[in-house]
Amino acid sequence: MNIRTLMMGVAAAALWGTAANAQEVLKLGHVGAPGSLYESTGNNFAACVDASGKATVEVYGSSQLGNDEEMLQKLKLGQIAFSIPSSIMSSVSPTFGIFEMPYLIKDRDHMRKVRDEMGSTFVDAASDKGYRIIGFWENGFRNVTNNVRPVTVPADLEGIKLRTPKGEWRVKMFQSYGANPTPMAFSEVFTALKTGVIDGQENPLAQIYSGKFQEVQKYLSMTGHVYSPAYLASSAKQWEGWDDELKTAIQDCAVKASDFAYDESAKLDGELVDKIKEAGVEVNEADKDAFIEASKPIYEEFGQQVEGGQKLIEDIQALASSS
């Protein structure tokens, strides 16, 4: 190879490196384990943004970039571009506490209507706290696992030490059922179950299975007590700093990932009960009517305590009846 060919190669490599570096690399963090809905939805979103040519999204799961609380702080500091918070948003703004109301969201078609017709309510609530909600994704319909007894009615939760996410309304709800709720980061739950620090936890099936809780739990009770959205979140400051083409690509991909999440989660719900049974967990159906009856006081309290709370309840319920 002569010197001229070598120098041309070096120059080409330098130009290629400049072009590659010019494309923004955006970090997305989440708490989901490998095989979780968070992982598959995050990867779906990343592939879509990458294909747009406007940016590259790098996905970090399993709390590699911190727990939910830490990642929300990192968004504000601009250390990461996106995270996928869920229940913790109720501790950011009381408005998000509406999704802590038991049996409020009836099915995914209902949630699609809430997303499409009321999404701005939650975007505005997050914006007031310095965050930008870009997409409404899914955590899922939550069920209870524990090592004490099957849970059929609320009284069966009496005295059970149950991990919950951070959020006052989930804690209040389980206290009203008689459980002993303990807020804890998702990354700590498996070890706490294994060592007996807690008796049980509540999560969607995709989080239960990917978190391997079936290895350390005896009972799965299909309570379906709360539907938890997940959100694609950034900081308002970062969002404003992106150019319009990048914003459009991110927004479009977030919507596509939302539909992917709903379809994928429904599929997982159909598959995972049998897999959890195969792991040796006893599965039972809960008496949802008994739980709905026991949940009336928490609705009253939310309606009275949270500004606009009663209207939020009524508006979301109205969208279910129009499904």
Side-chain angles (χ1 to χ4, degrees):
M1 181 183 291
N2 63 38
I3 190 69
R4 184 169 178 273
T5 306
L6 181 63
M7 291 307 293
M8 284 173 67
V10 170
L15 283 170
W16 172 252
T18 302
N21 291 337
Q23 182 158 297
E24 196 162 359
V25 176
L26 305 173
K27 289 184 179 181
L28 186 160
H30 65 82
V31 301
S36 67
L37 182 64
Y38 280 14
E39 180 187 62
S40 57
T41 310
N43 288 345
N44 177 279
F45 169 74
C48 179
V49 175
D50 291 356
S52 76
K54 303 301 177 188
T56 298
V57 175
E58 293 179 350
V59 181
Y60 297 85
S62 300
S63 305
Q64 290 178 70
L65 302 183
N67 61 34
D68 279 322
E69 198 167 7
E70 289 164 344
M71 284 191 284
L72 285 175
Q73 185 63 23
K74 287 182 177 183
L75 291 179
K76 286 271 188 83
L77 295 172
Q79 294 172 348
I80 61 175
F82 309 107
S83 71
I84 314 178
S86 181
S87 302
I88 195 169
M89 288 304 294
S90 66
S91 67
V92 172
S93 168
T95 302
F96 288 89
I98 189 66
F99 292 114
E100 302 294 298
M101 295 300 102
Y103 305 99
L104 178 66
I105 301 295
K106 303 304 180 189
D107 52 37
R108 290 181 178 91
D109 284 340
H110 183 199
M111 185 60 214
R112 278 188 175 94
K113 286 195 167 189
V114 174
R115 174 194 70 183
D116 295 343
E117 298 185 31
M118 295 180 63
S120 61
T121 300
F122 303 99
V123 172
D124 291 347
S127 179
D128 288 345
K129 302 295 183 179
Y131 295 101
R132 174 76 187 195
I133 297 296
I134 303 166
F136 290 81
W137 292 359
E138 176 164 320
N139 195 345
F141 288 95
R142 306 179 79 94
N143 300 286
V144 172
T145 68
N146 81 99
N147 286 325
V148 180
R149 67 182 79 91
V151 174
T152 304
V153 295
D156 294 328
L157 284 162
E158 187 69 42
I160 289 178
K161 290 179 288 184
L162 194 79
R163 177 268 175 181
T164 66
K166 186 176 179 182
E168 65 170 316
W169 294 100
R170 189 78 54 82
V171 170
K172 285 181 177 181
M173 181 182 82
F174 278 108
Q175 284 173 337
S176 74
Y177 295 157
N180 181 13
T182 304
M184 182 183 293
F186 184 81
S187 57
E188 300 170 13
V189 177
F190 180 88
T191 301
L193 290 169
K194 189 174 182 179
T195 57
V197 171
I198 52 175
D199 301 315
Q201 60 82 55
E202 45 88 51
N203 256 300
L205 295 178
Q207 289 285 69
I208 290 169
Y209 189 75
S210 63
K212 303 190 186 319
F213 298 159
Q214 67 275 9
E215 296 178 7
V216 288
Q217 295 278 260
K218 294 177 183 175
Y219 306 106
L220 164 62
S221 301
M222 300 298 289
T223 50
H225 51 274
V226 162
Y227 173 88
S228 293
Y231 311 92
L232 178 65
S234 188
S235 69
K237 186 177 178 182
Q238 286 192 91
W239 175 259
E240 292 305 323
W242 291 329
D243 66 44
D244 288 346
E245 286 190 0
L246 178 54
K247 283 181 188 174
T248 298
I250 290 170
Q251 192 73 69
D252 289 349
C253 289
V255 172
K256 289 173 183 172
S258 176
D259 290 328
F260 168 86
Y262 295 151
D263 293 342
E264 181 70 8
S265 190
K267 179 168 147 289
L268 288 171
D269 278 354
E271 297 171 351
L272 293 180
V273 172
D274 286 341
K275 289 187 176 182
I276 292 169
K277 277 182 183 174
E278 286 166 14
V281 178
E282 183 181 317
V283 180
N284 72 283
E285 289 295 328
D287 180 350
K288 290 183 181 176
D289 287 340
F291 275 94
I292 290 168
E293 182 63 29
S295 301
K296 287 179 179 177
I298 203 83
Y299 274 81
E300 290 171 13
E301 191 175 348
F302 184 85
Q304 291 166 4
Q305 282 193 16
V306 174
E307 185 179 349
Q310 190 56 41
K311 186 174 188 305
L312 267 179
I313 291 168
E314 291 166 4
D315 287 350
I316 290 177
Q317 288 175 333
L319 290 176
S321 60
S322 66
S323 292

